[in-house]
Every structure is written in C-alpha cells, then in structure tokens.
Amino acid sequence: MITGSDGQSRPAGSPKKPLISIKNVGLSYGNFQALTDVSVDFYQGELVGLVGDNGAGKTTLIRIISGIIPPTSGEVYFDGERIIKFHPKKAIDLGLECIQQAIGLCDNLSVGRNYFLGREPVRRILGLPFLDKKKIREASAKVVHDFGLRDSVDVDDEIALLSGGEKQTFKIARAVTFRNRVIIMDEPTNHLSVRERTRVNELAVQLKQQGLLVIYITHDIFQIHRIADRIVILENGRKVTDVPRDAMSAEALEGIIRDGSRTSTKEPKVS
Amino acid sequence: MRAAIAHLVRRHPEGGTVTLVVLISLTFAIVTGGSWLSTGNLQSLSQLTAVLAIMAFGEAIVIATGQIDISVGSVSGIGALTFLGLAPVVGSGFGLVAALLFGVLIGGINGVFVAFLGIPSLLVTLGTLFLFQGIGYAVTSGFSFAASNVVRKQFIYNGFGGGTVAGVNTGVIWALTILVVLQLAVFEMPVGNRLLAIGGDAASSFSRGVNVTRIKFGVFVVSGVLAALSGALDAAFIGYADGSFGAGMELSAIAAAVLGGCHLAGGRISLIGTLLGAFILRGIQSFLIILGVQPQWYILVVGLIVVLAGLADRTLTRLVLKR
C-alpha cells in the first residue's frame, strides 16, 4: 500500500497545509464507541471518497466536521485554526456546506424560504429586518431553473411538493450556489435515477475542479473510484485505509471493506 | 378543480375559518332574531374575543415550533391577580409591568425546561399549569382582588382593558396591535422563517445553522407574557379577580389556534385564523348564553369543535400535500 509515513497520502502538487485536519478524533455515545482515534487531512481542490460499510462511522465523522456534534476526544482544525465550539452555524460561516441524506429541508417551508433558511436576505425598514421576498423569489427561481428542476416548480410552493430526486438536486444546488470552500455529500445519489446520479457525480467533479474540497460519502466503492482523487475507508469507527485512487483498484478496495478490519490496517490491533 | 382548491388552501390556511365565521354569524343572528348582532352583544363579544385571542396568539407561536403551552390559563390568572393586587399599592402602571414580568418569568421557566433540558412541553407546562394555579389559590386563599375607584380612574388601567375608545374596549385595540406585530414577525422576518422551520423539521433547521434552543426558549417567553397580558386586560375589564381566574382558558386558547388553522404538529400556523377561531368560540359561548343554555354545555361544544377541527385539519393537510 502506498501511504506516507504518517499513514496518510496526499495528492501530488497540493499545498502542504490541509484545509481540514482531523487529529485523533474519537466519539462515543455512552458505551458505544462510534469513532476511535481517527486522523485524516483534507486538502483544497481534492475529491475524497469516504467509504465504509453501514455503521463504519462515516456519517458520524462528517457530523463532527459540519459542527452538528462535538467529538469526545481529539482535535479538529479548519484552515489551521482549531475548532473549539461546534455548531452548524460556525461551519456554514467558515464556508462548509453539508448535503445530508435525511435532513436539510423543511417540508413546510416554500422552496425559496428553504433556499435561504438560516441566512435570509433582509431589507431594513425602520431598522427592523424584513425578509427580502423579491430577492428570495428571484435567487431561488434562478437556481431552480439552472439546475433543471421542473418548470412547474413554483418557488412559493412548499418544498414537500418536490420529488425525492428534486429535493436532492435542490440541496446540492443550494450548496453549490452559495460560495463555499468545502462541500460534503452524504450518500448524495441514494434514491436518484441513473441520469440524476450521473449528473450529481459530474457536479462533484466540477466543484473539485473549481478548487473546492469535496468529501463524498458513499458505500459504493465502484462509483466513487471512478471520480475520487483519494479514498478513505472507515471500518468500525477506525480509519483502515487512506490511499490515492491510482494506488489501488476498486476491487482491492472492495476487498478491504468486505473483509473488515482483519486486513490492511497499519495500526496494531489493541486487544 | 381539486388542484385549484389545494392551491387556495395551501396559500390561505384560514380560509375554512373565515367561511365558518360567516356561517355561524348568519345562523346565530337569524336564530336569535338579531339580538346576537346587537351593539351590546358585539361589544362584549369583541372584548371576550380579544382577551382569548391574545392568549391564543402566544399559543399559536408555540404551536408553530411544534410545542404546546397548556400553562397559559394559570399564567393569565397570575397576571390578573398581580395586576389587580398591586395596582392599589403601586399604581396600575407598575402593577401591569409586574404582571408582565411574571409572564416572562413563568414563560422563561417553561422555556428552560423545554428548550435547554429537552423535557416535553406537554409535561412541563402541565406542571406549571397546576403549580401557578395552586399559587393563585394560595395567594388569594378565598379572598379576591377588586379594582378600587382610584385605580379605575387611572390612565393605564383604562388603557389596558378597563376602558373604551369610541365604544371599543382597549383590550380589542391591543389584540389587533399584537396581531399586526406578530403577523409581521412570523411571516415577514427571518426570525419567523426560522420559527416555522423548527416546527417543520427541527433537525434540518439546526443543520442550517438555526439556533433552535434559543427560538424554542423565546416562544415560551412570548406565550407567557401574552397570557399574563390577557389576564391583566380581562381583570381590568371585569374589575375583579380571584384564585380561579383564567382556569380552563388554556383549552379555549388551544382550541382557538387549532380552529384557526394552526397545525399541532408545528410549522404551519395562521394568526388571523387564530383570531377568527377565538371569535367563533366566544360567539358560540354568547349564543348559548342568549339562548339560555347552561354555560356548562359550552365546554362540551368546545370539545366537539376541537375534534371536528382536527378532522378537518387532517383532510385539508392530505389535500394540500398531494402531488
């Protein structure tokens, strides 16, 4: 396996300083250890595939990165600065957008209001912040149009009226159109048609080419192997593999996932 | 046709309530031979509607976040007792401020338990409902507070429920003012967008950076202060309050909100509908009084209406959310 002396690999020619640095992070829910001593660096302009079986700790890791839960041990650095206070607002302000499977949209709100939730544009009248409804409508209508949602979608309609695929596309659209530095995609192609899936994967590559860091979570190693620069595999809450895409075939990586932590881990097993 | 109706209902959740208001107004007017529409009845009806609506507005804001506040009846009682109890001693201005501060305090207690400690709002506010009802009874211990003639002449007393402007009780003016303020805050401001978002999907709101804890805390404070104000306004109108003041009002407040198109699951409310819901409940109450029906039957009618409103709510929601 081709990895650096620290057990990590980094893309050739990328700046040395990682944008996000996870150092010895652990997280436990009561007695359950969801993550154990995970260290991984993410660099700007990289598309990293975060892979692992169900319950491997992928979603837990990105929940920490996006500020939803604080780790119980270890440190997280963003652009060299250590993160002390974990809150989604902080992550969003730092330019980190996470597209999650189950959450991110409020069914009862209109398309436009969902688009701007948490960072609503305002017009001040007598010093009071009123929603800039014109801007909300225009900006969200443009996104709906640019990302090829149905023409019949009215941005004043509740988002519950969109289909699953449309909602997913909308979430990605929202993540893309606000200027961000990091896009995390958590199983973005679940429940999508083949065509929609191809489109999402193309978008992920485009974002990377624009210089963003894209962390792509999936359990489909073959799909991610085609587009990622680097593959990180988690297994039972531990990082077991971290290799450039070219270093291993998708089949070999699949073998690692299938065989669990019995193979390939460099860390000595603690009994 | 069905799509058109769905669209209409989606944009105007209080549409059904408006229809109901027109229907019952006409029916009651005809059945009572016009006396339901008499100036006297409408004056008393508007005052009764106003105090219930103010309480129900607070309830609606809490319901918007997917919570419930059943302590409002007791809070209005505390507001009424504080106002009438302190007005003769410190003047009605300070009495009113003290009443509102108690509302903030009790709302704050509810808010801390629900928002910060994560205890279900039904449980917390059921506790404070009994707790402050008990305190109300203990403080009065069989006595009651009545507004003295000095107090009745005070400007604040008359400006807050004790007097009228052009024949309209000042409480009605406060209800309409609060309606406008809340309507703007909930539907035209970022804070309202976030409030409704929490009721729709708290986890999603949190992931968008919304401060869920702070907003949940805030709605209980708003509900508390409005309930206390409602009690003070009503006490000033009646000029008298005892330990049972506000008892049972929480049910009418919840019923008014539900009747007005507020979804108990959260995320969808109508404040105009809530005002109309309060009007319907009070209208039925006054109708029963004119007919000479014993007031106990009112409770039965409220219960029936809430069940029917819940049923209609379900049907409408299904209609609206069908693609």
Side-chain angles (χ1 to χ4, degrees):
Chain A
M1 193 190 309
I2 304 165
T3 49
S5 56
D6 55 351
Q8 302 201 12
S9 59
R10 53 181 68 106
S14 70
K16 266 200 159 156
K17 212 176 86 181
L19 185 56
I20 297 175
S21 186
I22 312 283
K23 289 197 193 328
N24 313 103
V25 158
L27 186 115
S28 49
Y29 299 106
N31 285 331
F32 176 66
Q33 193 74 22
L35 286 178
T36 312
D37 199 25
V38 172
S39 295
V40 57
D41 288 338
F42 298 101
Y43 298 85
Q44 215 173 321
E46 232 193 336
L47 201 172
V48 182
L50 187 57
V51 195
D53 222 334
N54 291 337
K58 308 184 294 280
T59 300
T60 307
L61 183 61
I62 63 118
R63 282 166 76 87
I64 291 173
I65 296 174
S66 51
I68 293 173
I69 38 170
T72 37
S73 61
E75 294 157 14
V76 177
Y77 293 85
F78 189 93
D79 209 5
E81 182 204 345
R82 182 167 176 198
I83 305 296
I84 305 293
K85 197 166 171 278
F86 285 78
H87 194 281
K89 177 78 178 145
K90 166 110 182 173
I92 291 170
D93 288 346
L94 287 170
L96 186 145
E97 184 90 22
C98 183
I99 302 157
Q100 284 161 286
Q101 299 175 68
I103 62 173
L105 298 175
C106 295
D107 272 353
N108 60 318
L109 296 185
S110 71
V111 174
R113 280 171 175 253
N114 261 297
Y115 183 70
F116 282 108
L117 179 59
R119 50 179 149 200
E120 299 84 353
V122 294
R123 284 179 302 134
R124 297 219 164 242
I125 302 172
L126 302 171
L128 296 170
F130 284 90
L131 292 172
D132 190 342
K133 289 189 170 175
K134 186 160 171 269
K135 188 172 175 196
I136 290 177
R137 206 168 286 132
E138 285 172 1
S140 51
K142 186 175 181 318
V143 169
V144 165
H145 180 262
D146 290 353
F147 282 79
L149 290 170
R150 274 181 293 138
D151 285 340
S152 62
V153 170
D154 181 343
V155 294
D156 285 336
D157 272 342
E158 287 183 6
I159 206 141
L161 295 167
L162 301 191
S163 73
E166 286 171 330
K167 283 185 189 169
Q168 193 64 21
T169 310
F170 181 75
K171 279 196 249 182
I172 294 168
R174 180 174 62 183
V176 171
T177 45
F178 283 102
R179 304 222 167 274
N180 285 304
R181 303 170 72 184
V182 185
I183 305 276
I184 300 171
M185 297 177 163
D186 189 0
E187 307 270 6
T189 55
N190 273 11
H191 318 298
L192 294 193
S193 67
V194 175
R195 217 176 60 203
E196 286 172 323
R197 194 177 303 172
T198 310
R199 195 175 150 64
V200 167
N201 288 343
E202 281 168 8
L203 264 172
V205 173
Q206 276 171 25
L207 292 172
K208 175 199 91 171
Q209 284 163 351
Q210 287 165 21
L212 275 72
L213 161 62
V214 181
I215 304 174
Y216 190 123
I217 292 138
T218 178
H219 53 248
D220 184 345
I221 185 69
F222 293 98
Q223 196 190 142
I224 192 66
H225 193 263
R226 261 179 259 133
I227 58 170
D229 298 315
R230 184 155 66 102
I231 310 274
V232 173
I233 299 179
L234 292 183
E235 177 70 45
N236 290 328
R238 291 172 188 274
K239 187 176 88 171
V240 293
T241 305
D242 185 346
V243 289
R245 180 188 84 139
D246 301 334
M248 283 180 87
S249 68
E251 286 76 11
L253 288 164
E254 195 204 18
I256 293 174
I257 300 169
R258 196 179 46 231
D259 299 341
S261 49
R262 277 177 289 154
T263 59
S264 81
T265 174
K266 286 197 138 188
E267 297 160 20
K269 272 211 126 181
V270 186
S271 53
Chain B
M1 179 63 193
R2 204 194 57 90
I5 295 173
H7 187 80
L8 205 68
V9 173
R10 202 153 56 224
R11 294 284 163 80
H12 303 283
E14 61 281 334
T17 321
V18 174
T19 317
L20 203 57
V21 165
V22 174
L23 280 179
I24 69 160
S25 298
L26 284 174
T27 314
F28 290 177
I30 293 165
V31 172
T32 60
S35 62
W36 192 79
L37 279 179
S38 69
T39 315
N41 191 50
L42 287 184
Q43 273 176 340
S44 108
L45 187 57
S46 63
Q47 189 275 336
L48 287 166
T49 301
V51 291
L52 176 57
I54 290 172
M55 193 186 286
F57 290 153
E59 191 67 63
I61 301 288
V62 173
I63 289 175
T65 66
Q67 313 289 317
I68 194 129
D69 184 355
I70 53 174
S71 70
V72 288
S74 294
V75 180
S76 83
I78 293 289
L81 294 174
T82 310
F83 185 41
L84 286 192
L86 288 183
V89 190
V90 295
S92 34
F94 284 111
L96 181 73
V97 170
L100 298 184
L101 284 179
F102 268 114
V104 171
L105 180 73
I106 302 171
I109 293 172
N110 287 334
V112 165
F113 277 95
V114 175
F116 291 96
L117 302 176
I119 299 169
S121 54
L122 184 69
L123 213 62
V124 172
T125 57
L126 182 67
T128 45
L129 173 76
F130 285 125
L131 181 66
F132 288 96
Q133 196 164 50
I135 289 176
Y137 281 124
V139 166
T140 51
S141 57
F143 292 99
S144 59
F145 295 125
S148 63
N149 284 331
V150 178
V151 168
R152 281 172 196 271
K153 288 198 185 88
Q154 286 171 351
F155 178 73
I156 296 286
Y157 185 87
N158 285 291
F160 284 84
T164 58
V165 173
V168 177
N169 182 271
T170 44
V172 177
I173 295 160
W174 283 112
L176 294 176
T177 309
I178 291 163
L179 172 67
V180 171
V181 170
L182 289 181
Q183 182 75 18
L184 290 177
V186 173
F187 296 104
E188 306 294 331
M189 289 185 180
V191 66
N193 196 41
R194 296 170 190 184
L195 186 128
L196 294 168
I198 290 172
D201 188 336
S204 292
S205 311
F206 183 65
S207 79
R208 302 307 302 159
V210 173
N211 195 329
V212 176
T213 312
R214 197 163 65 195
I215 291 182
K216 274 191 186 171
F217 174 76
V219 293
F220 281 97
V221 173
V222 170
S223 176
V225 76
L226 289 181
L229 175 66
S230 158
L233 292 172
D234 207 18
F237 175 74
I238 301 167
Y240 162 91
D242 64 15
S244 72
F245 199 98
M249 282 285 279
E250 58 282 344
L251 286 182
S252 293
I254 294 167
V258 171
L259 203 52
C262 302
H263 295 232
L264 285 177
R268 291 186 182 86
I269 63 163
S270 166
L271 294 165
I272 295 165
T274 301
L275 175 70
L276 298 176
F279 177 80
I280 291 171
L281 291 175
R282 295 302 210 180
I284 292 170
Q285 203 174 13
S286 73
F287 176 67
L288 294 179
I289 290 168
I290 291 174
L291 285 189
V293 177
Q294 285 194 321
Q296 290 88 323
W297 287 93
Y298 167 69
I299 299 171
L300 185 146
V301 174
V302 171
L304 209 61
I305 287 174
V306 171
V307 172
L308 289 177
L311 203 65
D313 179 87
R314 211 171 111 95
T315 319
L316 285 182
T317 312
R318 283 189 175 171
L319 176 73
V320 167
L321 293 183
K322 224 172 200 171
R323 270 189 280 277

